[in-house]
Amino acid sequence: MGNSYPMPPPRNTPKAETLRGLVERVVFHNEENGYCILKIVPDGKTGTASLIGKAPRVVAGEEFEARGVWEPNRDFGPQFKADELKLKRPDSLGGIERYLGSGLIKGIGPAHAKRIVEKFGPKVFDIIENESKKLEDVEGVGKKRRLEIRESWMKQKALHSIMLFLHQHGISSSRALRIYKTYGDEAQAVLKENPYRMAQDIRGIGFKTADDIAYRLGVANEAPERLKAGLLHVLETAAQNGHCCFPEVKTIEKAIELLGAANELLQAQIEQLIESDQIERVTSDAGTPARNDDAENAGRSARTTFLYLPHLRAAEQSIAASVKALAASPPAYPPIDEEAALAWVMKKTGKELAESQQRAVREALRQRLLIITGGPGVGKTTILRSILLILQSKQVKLVLAAPTGRAAKRLSESTGLDAKTLHRLLEYQGEGGWGRHRGKPLVGDLFVVDEASMIDAPLMAQFLSALPPGAHLLIVGDADQLPSVGPGMVLHDLISSGAVPCVKLTEIFRQAASSRIITSAHAINRGLVPDLKPASRSDFFFLEASEPEEIRDLIVQLAHTRLPTKYGFDPIADIQVLTPMNRNLLGTASLNHSLQLALNPPNEVKFEIERFQTTFRVGDKVIQTHNNYDKEVFNGDIGHITAIDADPVKLHVRFDAQRTVEYEPGELDELQPAYALTIHKSQGSEFPCVIIPVSTQHYVLLERSLIYTAITRAKKLCILVGDEKALSLAVSKQESRKRFTGLRELL
């Protein structure tokens, strides 16, 4: 590369600068998110350098202007990391020739580009556009090729002008690309007519971005489309926070806060949205339909008006109809002698079933639809295995599923039967499309769904609608765990409605009762702070530390040396840190950084790559953050980086013994380090050892279901590190149960 480049400034104080020059070669470009790696020739230099940035499209020969910083890279030399990247058609003849010959224009390759530029010089673009007949004077260009060249050029020009329009209105390249992909040549017209459509149509563009763009385009503050979009945004935010519906009064309060508009103007737009079927209004006699904190609602009987997004109302209605139909039908199993079956299964498994467990098995054989619920150590797995063995011996076709890949794997391991994720079972096709539905139902006699507390209303509605006529359903889960990330509290609502036969298991069995993980979890569930006194032969410890820095350092020390030394745990494979949030010193980002430095530090041998503000290193533990159906990896899957290729850059992640998946640089926004995970992300999983920070720094999120869920992820050892005051605050709060849903009332 020569010595023509400045050495990059020290890493802790990178100085932003503006760089201009020519794109020599496009090494990599991801059309989905605009991520690109370019070889560039900066102005005034002779050698090439690497530039990393985002652009909707890049063509060799274009001139660029980039704002960013030089960063050192052990393997590739200095790279310019651009926060802003603007590209324009070249002016120089060499640039024009490379630009035309880059494959951008159909019908022109490098040889034709050379001849066309030699003949027309800098006027070439004008000739193609306005006097394309003249192109036929160039050797090798006939009428057909000439028409192809002009049509291709006009398409590129339209894209260019739309991109220019979007950039002029402050829209970043990656967003501009998404907008263009969604609306094509109509993009300008759509944005001028109603920029708020973007919030509905394009993933990753929310109301706030659309509102900012609308402001730049001169949309008035009280424009009806702005008020409607704001109201929809309030309901969508409520859904993201787990609510299926939201009180009309609260919706208006939040919209006033967001939009600064008058109550009566918003009320008028609500009526418009109802008229155009964009929202639904439901009046409930039961105060809040199921704001699931009954104490708060005791004695309230006023009629309350709720607003729903139509798909969430439809999901709840669909669940209610399916559940009522199932619960009303008797079972259709082959004849079974219950006593003989119980004696047979106990002999086969070698496990004596307690009276409460036998009752649960009998109930499952007598019902078309049954819920089995209870905390850890109450024998849910033993009961489920017994039920399945009995029915399998009667040739009943069994279908097992769970909400996540890890939960499905655990179900499979505990029953010895194949289990799938619900998405895979229902043949999810992305963008809300499903291969299995009412018109093309699943095949089976008994459907078992485990970890049901994690299932949100839309997914449960889809699953129930795909059950074949005559199906039986067994729902297993712990209703006291965190509710689903998506909207609804389906398991809780089904149980509390009283409309579904339910076996609630409360007896902790002898072996489990000796585990302080289990007794502590049950204590927390009853609203009590568990016994925190140290015990020598215990699987549950509380280590006192008050300051966030002290908590973080103690967690790193435990994972790095103390626990591996004392218990023989593999620090990366066996130990999992679970934390309530992503941000702050005790959030996933900060803890992952500290744990990665301790457990998998950089060295000369290990290859590493930095993308999307994250360093990935061979040996790292990582988690997939989106469902990727092409790669068959799903949100929540945990893997290890086994190799990183340098040229072309590729990352290899092993997700289980059989499966290694490759990632290109632009796809690395789907991966995050997984030394520390949020408690939500850990649902449905188990780990040999779990460490949980408990700090008042998380007080907004700390609550009973969260701590209970985290503790019950640990199989052999659970350690809480932090402040006793924060733990007692968490145990006394029940925030996650406060969700507005209508399912219980519908049932």
Side-chain angles (χ1 to χ4, degrees), residues 555-561 564 570-573 575-577 591-602 606 617-621 674-676:
I555 286 171
V556 172
Q557 199 186 94
L558 285 164
H560 184 218
T561 48
D570 178 315
I572 294 179
I575 297 173
Q576 187 58 60
V577 176
L591 285 171
N592 271 315
H593 179 68
S594 302
L595 288 160
Q596 185 192 39
L597 274 177
L599 303 180
N600 191 23
K606 275 183 194 155
R617 209 168 279 145
V618 171
D620 275 340
K621 175 158 70 170
Y675 300 100

Side-chain angles (χ1 to χ4, degrees), residues 364-615:
L365 302 176
R366 294 172 188 172
Q367 300 290 353
R368 174 80 64 167
L369 166 63
L370 180 70
I371 294 172
I372 295 178
T373 185
V378 296
K380 291 194 299 288
T381 304
T382 306
I383 292 165
L384 180 57
R385 206 157 53 217
S386 303
I387 294 164
L388 297 178
L389 279 168
I390 291 169
L391 291 171
Q392 206 176 13
S393 75
K394 296 286 183 182
Q395 269 66 60
V396 171
K397 182 167 168 46
L398 307 170
V399 180
L400 278 61
T404 65
R406 314 220 22 197
K409 195 174 173 206
R410 277 180 61 202
L411 178 60
S412 197
E413 285 163 0
S414 66
T415 59
L417 299 167
D418 186 38
K420 289 182 171 158
T421 63
L422 282 167
H423 280 82
R424 196 169 275 179
L425 181 71
L426 295 167
E427 296 169 17
Y428 184 63
Q429 292 158 355
E431 303 297 318
W434 303 85
R436 295 289 176 170
H437 42 74
R438 197 163 267 116
K440 191 188 174 192
L442 295 160
V443 178
D445 301 321
L446 169 64
F447 292 81
V448 178
V449 184
D450 196 13
E451 294 286 356
S453 60
M454 297 172 69
I455 305 175
D456 63 26
L459 181 56
M460 185 61 101
Q462 184 63 38
F463 170 63
L464 292 175
S465 73
L467 291 179
H472 301 71
L473 177 59
L474 182 57
I475 296 173
V476 184
D478 181 350
D480 295 314
Q481 276 192 35
L482 281 172
S484 55
V485 175
M489 292 192 74
V490 178
L491 182 63
H492 186 281
D493 285 354
L494 291 176
I495 294 168
S496 63
S497 72
V500 182
C502 180
V503 174
K504 291 181 185 170
L505 303 164
T506 53
E507 184 185 348
I508 304 174
F509 291 100
R510 194 175 64 247
Q511 192 186 347
S514 66
S515 161
R516 277 180 68 181
I517 291 174
I518 286 171
T519 53
S520 302
H522 283 275
I524 285 168
N525 211 11
R526 295 195 301 275
L528 306 170
V529 173
D531 179 6
L532 302 178
K533 288 193 294 291
S536 58
R537 296 185 61 77
S538 177
D539 58 1
F540 177 85
F541 294 94
F542 184 89
L543 302 182
E544 184 77 42
S546 50
E547 293 305 313
E549 288 84 357
E550 192 190 346
I551 296 172
R552 179 199 60 198
D553 295 346
L554 183 47
I555 286 171
V556 172
Q557 199 186 94
L558 285 164
H560 184 218
T561 48
R562 284 170 63 173
L563 298 178
T565 304
K566 183 165 183 187
Y567 296 94
F569 289 129
D570 178 315
I572 294 179
D574 297 336
I575 297 173
Q576 187 58 60
V577 176
L578 298 179
T579 180
M581 68 200 312
N582 288 310
R583 290 189 310 281
N584 287 350
L585 201 65
L586 297 173
T588 52
S590 160
L591 285 171
N592 271 315
H593 179 68
S594 302
L595 288 160
Q596 185 192 39
L597 274 177
L599 303 180
N600 191 23
N603 64 35
E604 288 308 311
V605 183
K606 275 183 194 155
F607 195 58
E608 63 179 51
I609 174 175
E610 191 189 335
R611 294 291 179 265
F612 305 106
Q613 286 81 56
T614 304
T615 300

Side-chain angles (χ1 to χ4, degrees), residues 93 96 120-128:
L93 291 183
I96 292 171
F120 300 113
K123 289 189 188 160
V124 63
F125 299 131
D126 188 49
I127 298 285
I128 293 172

Side-chain angles (χ1 to χ4, degrees), residues 2 59 145 159 248 285 304 433 464 547 559 566 587 659 706 714:
V59 183
R145 188 183 291 259
L159 169 62
E248 187 163 349
D285 284 322
T304 311
L464 292 175
E547 293 305 313
K566 183 165 183 187
R659 229 160 35 98
L706 194 82

Side-chain angles (χ1 to χ4, degrees), residues 580-581 695-703 706 729 733 735:
M581 68 200 312
S695 162
T696 46
Q697 193 180 62
H698 296 144
Y699 80 95
V700 178
L701 288 171
L702 281 179
E703 59 98 41
L706 194 82
L729 175 78
K733 255 168 72 182
E735 284 309 304

